[in-house]
Amino acid sequence: MTSLPAETPGGSLRVDAERNRQRIVAAAREVFAESGLEVPIEDVAKRAGVGVGTLYRRFPERADLIAAAFEEKMAAYSEAARQALADPDPWHAFCVHLETICGMQAGDRGFTTVLTMTFPTAKQFEAARDEAFHAFSTVVDRAKAAGRLRPDFVTQDIPMFLMANAGVLTATGDAAPDTWRRFVGYLIQACAAPAALPLADPPAPRQMYRAMVRATWQQRERRTKTRPAP
């Protein structure tokens, strides 16, 4: 008896292969949330009940697995931006959204890092991020127009805030898990108009994007050094 091909003629995964994929993604969500993105890939495979080789066949690169594991969380991130856009009070929308996304970081160690990375090959994942960015850009413009947000605030400041919050969470997450709330409170006060002092020039959008790409590559390089053979 011949074995079934890895894919059906229509291109969809076999039922058992798709089941394995779902188990791997679910396990990755749990493990990344608990331990962050640096966790050994063997831990994900063990949690999923599959071999490491099976995991790598489904997800050849760690970035592929990360994007799949956080696709739903990124969709929630995008939905939060849409809710902020619907808020009739632009300053309230700005404050609540900043608290919400920083809270999403605090609730999931993996997402803490994902928000400061980029995944060019994960089209749906990046589309949700882009939607969130454009929605929040409109919130920023409205808050400035209302005179509540300092006029020199730029959208590049958001990934910078998230990178800073990621550092706070990494340093205090176990010992003082609510420290991020105080940090975000400081950020909100610093963003309020009228601004007390002018700021240094912001990074250009391209520079901030390069910083996110670099974070992605640093994650990949650290894992490549210790990646076992499939």
Side-chain angles (χ1 to χ4, degrees):
M1 180 180 295
T2 58
S3 60
L4 291 172
E7 296 187 357
T8 65
S12 61
L13 293 172
R14 287 189 334 221
V15 173
D16 58 339
E18 177 59 20
R19 186 181 298 116
N20 281 341
R21 183 186 186 281
Q22 292 175 1
R23 290 166 63 184
I24 291 168
V25 171
R29 288 194 192 107
E30 295 174 0
V31 174
F32 289 153
E34 293 167 4
S35 306
L37 303 186
E38 288 297 304
V39 67
I41 208 71
E42 293 87 349
D43 290 2
V44 177
K46 182 177 180 180
R47 180 76 64 92
V50 302
V52 175
T54 297
L55 188 152
Y56 279 126
R57 281 194 295 274
R58 296 275 70 85
F59 301 99
E61 298 291 338
R62 176 176 287 252
D64 300 329
L65 179 58
I66 292 172
F70 289 99
E71 188 172 285
E72 290 184 5
K73 188 65 69 74
M74 186 56 74
Y77 176 72
S78 181
E79 175 60 24
R82 287 194 294 271
Q83 292 178 5
L85 192 60
D87 191 325
D89 183 333
W91 176 242
H92 180 263
F94 177 89
C95 296
V96 169
H97 187 63
L98 184 57
E99 291 173 347
T100 297
I101 60 177
C102 288
M104 291 176 73
Q105 281 187 298
D108 188 324
R109 290 193 178 189
F111 202 57
T112 296
T113 306
V114 166
L115 283 176
T116 63
M117 298 169 65
T118 186
F119 301 87
T121 61
K123 302 303 182 183
Q124 186 172 347
F125 188 90
E126 288 296 297
R129 186 205 298 275
D130 290 344
E131 181 181 2
F133 175 80
H134 291 303
F136 190 61
S137 295
T138 302
V139 171
V140 166
D141 292 341
R142 291 177 180 175
K144 286 183 179 180
R148 300 298 307 278
L149 178 63
R150 59 186 300 155
D152 54 356
F153 182 90
V154 293
T155 52
Q156 299 95 284
D157 289 330
I158 289 298
M160 180 180 69
F161 285 177
L162 294 175
M163 289 176 183
N165 190 48
V168 170
L169 290 166
T170 298
T172 67
D174 294 329
D178 287 334
T179 303
W180 70 272
R181 298 182 185 278
R182 184 173 177 85
F183 175 66
V184 173
Y186 274 123
L187 290 178
I188 288 174
Q189 291 187 41
C191 289
L197 295 171
L199 298 171
D201 292 339
R206 182 62 182 171
Q207 290 176 311
M208 185 55 68
Y209 178 78
R210 287 174 59 190
M212 295 171 68
V213 170
R214 180 174 297 174
T216 305
W217 276 104
Q218 287 173 343
Q219 286 282 337
R220 182 175 299 176
E221 288 173 356
R222 281 194 290 269
R223 298 314 310 170
T224 299
K225 291 178 182 179
T226 58
R227 173 176 172 172

